[in-house]
Amino acid sequence: MPPAQDHKRISDGGLGPNTGEIGCYAPTKIATSGVIREIEETILRPTFEGMRKEGEASCGT
């Protein structure tokens, strides 16, 4: 899972909140390797391990 960055604002001229998923790009260089490693160790691996223990499929759909 490469990190993605949302960069598009709702209004012209860079105004308003980010659009949320619309207008994002990946991979981004904003996340350092240390941040990516922390996300993998504290969020992704525990989530997938919990899903396996509960018999939940994790096929990415």
Side-chain angles (χ1 to χ4, degrees):
M1 265 201 226
Q5 180 177 358
D6 187 355
H7 66 94
K8 186 177 179 309
R9 300 287 181 175
I10 287 177
S11 303
D12 289 337
L15 303 174
N18 282 347
T19 56
E21 298 179 23
I22 300 171
C24 67
Y25 62 94
T28 180
K29 295 180 187 211
I30 197 167
T32 65
S33 59
V35 169
I36 293 170
R37 189 170 37 256
E38 183 177 348
I39 291 168
E40 289 174 350
E41 292 172 4
T42 62
I43 299 170
L44 297 177
R45 286 186 185 148
T47 298
F48 295 139
E49 185 174 322
M51 291 173 71
R52 275 192 292 276
K53 286 180 180 177
E54 294 179 4
E56 296 292 331
S58 58
C59 62
T61 60

